[in-house]
Amino acid sequence: MTHGDVETRPPLDRTNAFTALEVALQWWGADVPEDPGAGELAHLLDEIVDRLREDRKSERSRAAAELLVQATEALRAVARLGSLLPAISLWHLRTALRQETTARSQFAAESHLQPVAPL
């Protein structure tokens, strides 16, 4: 099952998880650099969260922002782990992807709108 261009099932490996997160952040309007690390993705998510929180009249934006904060925290955990504990790192990547997918589903379903304008 897919939502837009992103698979809703978590990828099985680290490379596919990063690729799925890159595509997801592009959906939100982020200009994702080539081959970003977890820290860079977390920073881009922070910017998206800030934009969503600026829309104080929209409950869907605030709800999506809170889910994306959780995804950001998971990505920061991946950045801290680096290459240590690969299974734990992959779990955090999958968590980030699940949170982003849920945020996008709620955001799109309630509004039938496109993503936030590009950064």
Side-chain angles (χ1 to χ4, degrees), residues 6-7 11 15 19 22 37 50 53-54 68 70 75 89 92 104-105 113:
V6 177
E7 185 76 23
T15 302
T19 300
E22 290 172 35
D50 289 344
R53 285 181 171 165
E54 286 175 6
L68 293 178
Q70 294 172 24
L75 285 172
S89 181
H92 284 295
R104 183 193 332 206
S105 296
L113 296 177

Side-chain angles (χ1 to χ4, degrees), residues 7-27:
E7 185 76 23
T8 57
R9 290 174 297 190
L12 297 177
D13 65 23
R14 183 179 174 93
T15 302
N16 289 338
F18 270 103
T19 300
L21 285 164
E22 290 172 35
V23 170
L25 268 60
Q26 290 170 348
W27 186 91

Side-chain angles (χ1 to χ4, degrees), residues 9-109:
R9 290 174 297 190
L12 297 177
D13 65 23
R14 183 179 174 93
T15 302
N16 289 338
F18 270 103
T19 300
L21 285 164
E22 290 172 35
V23 170
L25 268 60
Q26 290 170 348
W27 186 91
W28 288 99
D31 185 19
V32 180
E34 188 174 326
D35 196 26
E40 291 171 301
L41 293 176
H43 178 73
L44 290 170
L45 268 176
D46 277 336
E47 292 175 359
I48 293 166
V49 166
D50 289 344
R51 283 184 304 166
L52 289 170
R53 285 181 171 165
E54 286 175 6
D55 187 4
R56 296 174 191 226
K57 295 179 183 176
S58 172
E59 179 60 35
R60 72 177 167 80
S61 293
R62 286 192 306 273
E66 293 312 308
L67 289 165
L68 293 178
V69 164
Q70 294 172 24
T72 302
E73 291 170 1
L75 285 172
R76 285 205 174 93
V78 173
R80 284 190 304 273
L81 286 170
S83 61
L84 300 173
L85 304 172
I88 303 299
S89 181
L90 181 57
W91 182 84
H92 284 295
L93 284 170
R94 289 176 175 173
T95 298
L97 191 55
R98 275 193 305 273
Q99 294 300 332
E100 185 284 326
T101 301
T102 302
R104 183 193 332 206
S105 296
Q106 289 179 359
F107 186 86

